[in-house]
Each structure stands twice: as structure tokens, then as C-alpha cells.
Amino acid sequence: SQQGEEDPQALSIQEGENATMNCSYKTSINNLQWYRQNSGRGLVHLILIRSNEREKHSGRLRVTLDTSKKSSSLLITASRAADTASYFCATDAGGGADGLTFGKGTHLIIQP
Amino acid sequence: GAGVSQSPSNKVTEKGKDVELRCDPISGHTALYWYRQSLGQGLEFLIYFQGNSAPDKSGLPSDRFSAERTGGSVSTLTIQRTQQEDSAVYLCASSLWREQPQHFGDGTRLSIL
């Protein structure tokens, strides 16, 4: 079942603007990860934030995590045409024998 | 290798045939995962290997699906008596160990006629 739910489902912005995507989940997690997928390709890991962390930065990416609200956001600053892709949040419940639980993704289009 | 390699990249087969999908993980990665991506279901987790062992196979959609991993490296996902609903992209990922970022291959696009 899909635990993560991204919002919005699709987002179109102008190059140079900031893009914000949100993710909500239902159960306790060990960590939350964001991935990018270009059309016809596999997923590329962007950033991992652990349940005891509230914010993390990587280059133009900023991720926040609010475990009390079971939500996360991904901010891409100064967007570029090459950022056009689908973005997925994925939760890792930790332990056990499960893989990641993915949301349905946000399709981001950066208009040049 | 430099990344996770999957083969074939595309597979078209007739309903009822068996198919075998292969995944070569990044060298040294102990954890290996199979996922399925389809328009209707999004990304679904299928099975996880730690070394050669799959602790839980309950994520596999039906008993027509099986997977194995040998030598702590290559993994194969086998689908017997394929059905049209098996059409999807099958993605493999590996990580150094459990709960680490996963590195994905480009997937096998499976089409059942």
C-alpha cells in the first residue's frame, strides 16, 4: 500500500523559482527519503532524513520532517530546467524485511 | 560495476510464458530490493534480500513470482505463467546495508501481450 502521499501531484513553475513538494505518511518511520525519477529511468536518491532530525540541506535541496504531523517537505531553490522530473518521498519503517514505501510522486515541470 | 544493472531493459512476451529478470547490484552492497512500478499501483515493494536470504516473501504479488540471489550478488526475479496484469516496470535497487540510501537500476519494462 502507498503510505506516502505527495502534494501536489503536478507542479509547473518558471526556471529560477523555488519548488516545494509535500509528503504525508501514516505510520512510524525510521527515516524518510526523497528520490527523483527522470522519464524512463530508475530512481535517484536525493536526501535521507532520520526520524530524530528536523531539517537537512544538500546543495539546492532542503528537506524538513515533522514527525508529530507525519509530514515532510522538499524545497528545491533556484530551479533549473534539468530539475524537471518526478519526485517521490519514501518511508523506511526500520528493521523487519520491508523495502521502502513510496508515494505516488509529484511531477515537476520547470519552464525555461 | 558503476551502478545497478538490469537486463533485459525491455521484454515483450505472450501471456502464459515465463520470464526471468536479472539484477546486478553495486559490488559490495549486501542489501538488494525488487520493486514494481505501474501506472495504477505506483511503486510497490516486492522483496528484499540481505545477502542471499529473503526473510519475508509476502510482498510478492502471487505464487507465480519467485526470486533468488546467489553469491551475495546477482538476483533474478522469475514470473511464471505471465498475465497481462504483470505488465509493469520492474526496478531493482541495492544498498550497502539495510536502511541506507538505495541505488536503483533503470528497470526492465515488461509487456505481456
Side-chain angles (χ1 to χ4, degrees), chain B residues 28-31 33 48 50 94-102:
Chain B
H29 280 194
T30 64
Y33 307 80
Y48 152 68
Q50 180 58 47
S94 70
S95 61
L96 267 174
W97 57 83
R98 183 81 176 79
E99 298 175 21
Q100 291 295 303
Q102 295 181 20

Side-chain angles (χ1 to χ4, degrees), chain B residues 42-98:
Chain B
L43 272 150
E44 300 172 80
F45 165 72
L46 299 179
I47 193 167
Y48 152 68
F49 286 90
Q50 180 58 47
N52 293 333
S53 174
D56 184 355
K57 299 181 180 180
S58 62
L60 295 174
S62 77
D63 58 9
R64 296 184 294 104
F65 287 69
S66 62
E68 65 174 14
R69 188 180 184 194
T70 55
S73 180
V74 172
S75 176
T76 54
L77 177 68
T78 301
I79 309 173
Q80 295 179 308
R81 305 181 302 282
T82 52
Q83 303 293 313
Q84 286 188 331
E85 65 260 26
D86 299 334
S87 295
V89 176
Y90 289 81
L91 293 163
C92 175
S94 70
S95 61
L96 267 174
W97 57 83
R98 183 81 176 79

Side-chain angles (χ1 to χ4, degrees), chain A residues 2 30 37 95 98 100, chain B residues 35 37 43 98-99 102 106:
Chain A
Q2 296 292 323
N30 183 54
Q37 185 177 35
D98 291 337
L100 298 173
Chain B
Y35 296 88
Q37 186 173 30
L43 272 150
R98 183 81 176 79
E99 298 175 21
Q102 295 181 20
D106 284 339

Side-chain angles (χ1 to χ4, degrees), chain A residues 38-106:
Chain A
N38 290 90
S39 181
R41 303 299 300 273
L43 283 79
V44 174
H45 178 262
L46 296 176
I47 199 163
L48 180 153
I49 186 165
R50 302 194 184 283
S51 60
N52 61 353
E53 296 176 307
R54 292 296 167 257
E55 187 171 313
K56 205 159 183 181
H57 297 254
S58 177
R60 294 184 296 112
L61 306 180
R62 172 177 170 257
V63 167
T64 62
L65 178 64
D66 187 335
T67 53
S68 67
K69 294 181 179 177
K70 291 187 168 57
S71 67
S72 174
S73 68
L74 170 67
L75 168 68
I76 303 174
T77 60
S79 63
R80 305 168 181 168
D83 294 329
T84 294
S86 291
Y87 291 81
F88 296 87
C89 71
T91 55
D92 188 339
D98 291 337
L100 298 173
T101 302
F102 285 88
K104 293 193 185 298
T106 292

Side-chain angles (χ1 to χ4, degrees), chain A residues 3-7 21-25 32 34 70-74 88-91 103:
Chain A
Q3 169 162 246
E5 293 288 339
E6 288 91 343
D7 164 43
M21 288 160 271
N22 303 298
C23 167
S24 61
Y25 59 91
L32 184 144
W34 285 90
K70 291 187 168 57
S71 67
S72 174
S73 68
L74 170 67
F88 296 87
C89 71
T91 55

